[in-house]
Amino acid sequence: PWTALAFIAPLGIMGILNILKDKKSYILKYGLMSLGFFLVIGLTLLYNKAITGSYLKVPYLAYNPLESPGFHALAGGGRHTPALGFYNIGSNIIKTNIALFGFPYGLAFLAFILVAKSQLAQDRLLISVIAVFSFLYLFYHGMGVSDTGPVYCYELIGVLVILSSRAIYEMNNRIREKWPSARNFLSSFLLMSFIFAALTYNLEKAVHVRQLTTAVREPYVAIEAAGLHRAVVFIQSLPYKGFVYGYRNNSPDFEDDVILCRLLQPDDNAKVIDRFPNRSYYILRYDNSIEESQLKKVNREELLAPDQKNK
């Protein structure tokens, strides 16, 4: 919802100004657009009510009441501050640039073309979307930075790509006006840009994601290497080297040859055993001392023993 507000604010202001200038031309057009807008708002409110019991409380706030805009206390301790807000935005600018292979911030030197003398009101509108987006997210501490890209900045990618393309297009027009013989400037510029990106941003990103993928797969590679058949693997622990390690999903019908679940308390383990009675049972535990996942075959009695989760 915070991102939606950041996008709609400039569009809403533009719509109001257009209506004030020419009611006959715009009021019907925007009225029809508003029908679609309020339909989505209505469905969102009904969804909130069904999930959280309140029309105005989104599920994320029900899960973490402190995950809301404002300079307030954080769930993990401390407080969100303007300085932290600027830090989050700066970090996401860097990650957005990497996600887009060095574009569009690699073309920031062309920004003056659109800002100083733009023939299109749409350019200024898109620039205002970025400005409002950045301002609003100063107040939201949970912006975060993931290992593979910006968390909440992905929605800006379309805006940034359009503005980058417009800047290149305008630069090409101005160069050809001044030097008519430079007919191949645009193709040469794009070719050199992609070559440079391939040798820098693309290469760094490919290496990083490969290393990350190898690390994340380690527990599941151990399961595959063991050659298990018709088994249930109770995961006691996964590597803790960041927040990227998660639990791999089973198929929706739970007919996998190997079912994965968390190792919990005896009552919860018993429910899983009763659901899959004719299988072998294993516990998967990551050994930090040797940095390796290990499998241990167990029986029903061991899984139902008190405090099995902490052993």
Side-chain angles (χ1 to χ4, degrees):
W2 203 237
T3 298
L5 179 62
F7 269 81
I8 200 173
L11 300 174
I13 293 173
M14 181 191 71
I16 293 173
L17 293 176
N18 285 338
I19 291 175
L20 292 176
K21 290 179 181 178
D22 189 348
K23 292 182 180 180
K24 291 184 179 179
S25 299
Y26 288 102
I27 196 165
L28 177 60
K29 182 186 301 184
Y30 287 132
L32 294 174
M33 291 175 61
S34 297
L35 291 177
F37 171 75
F38 286 112
L39 174 63
V40 174
I41 292 295
L43 292 174
T44 301
L45 296 177
L46 292 174
Y47 171 79
N48 292 342
K49 177 67 175 178
I51 301 298
T52 67
S54 171
Y55 290 107
L56 300 179
K57 180 181 287 187
V58 297
Y60 207 81
L61 280 177
Y63 170 74
N64 183 357
L66 293 179
E67 194 69 27
S68 60
F71 300 119
H72 51 63
L74 304 181
R79 297 185 65 85
H80 180 55
T81 63
L84 182 57
F86 279 108
Y87 173 82
N88 283 343
I89 289 176
S91 298
N92 276 271
I93 285 175
I94 295 173
K95 287 295 183 179
T96 303
N97 208 37
I98 294 174
L100 287 174
F101 317 115
F103 300 98
Y105 297 111
L107 298 172
F109 67 95
L110 298 176
F112 73 92
I113 296 178
L114 296 181
V115 176
K117 189 180 178 182
S118 176
Q119 289 82 16
L120 294 178
Q122 290 91 329
D123 294 337
R124 296 189 292 273
L125 178 63
L126 292 179
I127 292 172
S128 68
V129 168
I130 297 175
V132 173
F133 183 97
S134 300
F135 173 75
L136 287 183
Y137 267 102
L138 287 175
F139 301 90
Y140 191 74
H141 83 277
M143 199 173 184
V145 180
S146 72
D147 279 334
T148 54
V151 177
Y152 291 117
C153 286
Y154 278 117
E155 290 86 348
L156 283 180
I157 286 179
V159 173
L160 294 170
V161 168
I162 292 173
L163 286 174
S164 299
S165 302
R166 285 278 302 130
I168 294 173
Y169 178 78
E170 288 295 333
M171 178 181 65
N172 180 62
N173 287 345
R174 296 188 184 193
I175 288 178
R176 293 191 63 178
E177 287 176 4
K178 192 168 185 178
W179 296 287
S181 59
R183 292 188 299 270
N184 298 322
F185 170 79
L186 182 59
S187 57
S188 300
F189 178 83
L190 292 175
L191 177 62
M192 293 302 298
S193 298
F194 282 113
I195 291 175
F196 179 76
L199 297 176
T200 53
Y201 290 98
N202 292 22
L203 182 60
E204 183 275 340
K205 186 175 178 64
V207 172
H208 175 71
V209 172
R210 180 178 177 83
Q211 293 173 342
L212 182 66
T213 303
T214 300
V216 171
R217 290 190 69 244
E218 193 277 338
Y220 307 108
V221 170
I223 294 174
E224 295 167 3
L228 305 186
H229 179 64
R230 300 300 293 170
V232 178
V233 174
F234 291 81
I235 300 176
Q236 183 180 28
S237 61
L238 292 175
Y240 184 73
K241 299 180 180 179
F243 57 86
V244 297
Y245 292 91
Y247 295 87
R248 191 172 71 184
N249 291 333
N250 300 291
S251 63
D253 58 9
F254 292 99
E255 291 296 329
D256 306 86
D257 194 34
V258 177
I259 298 291
L260 304 176
C261 66
R262 301 188 188 198
L263 179 67
L264 299 176
Q265 298 302 327
D267 290 345
D268 298 305
N269 297 338
K271 294 177 182 178
V272 177
I273 294 173
D274 293 340
R275 174 65 176 80
F276 305 100
N278 300 316
R279 291 180 178 243
S280 301
Y281 306 114
Y282 295 83
I283 291 178
L284 177 73
R285 175 179 176 273
Y286 185 78
D287 190 332
N288 287 296
S289 62
I290 59 176
E291 296 188 345
E292 184 178 287
S293 294
Q294 296 182 331
L295 280 165
K296 175 186 175 183
K297 189 172 183 178
V298 294
N299 55 37
R300 178 188 177 96
E301 287 70 28
E302 290 175 290
L303 287 169
L304 301 183
D307 298 324
Q308 175 64 58
K309 181 180 177 182
N310 299 322
K311 290 184 178 179

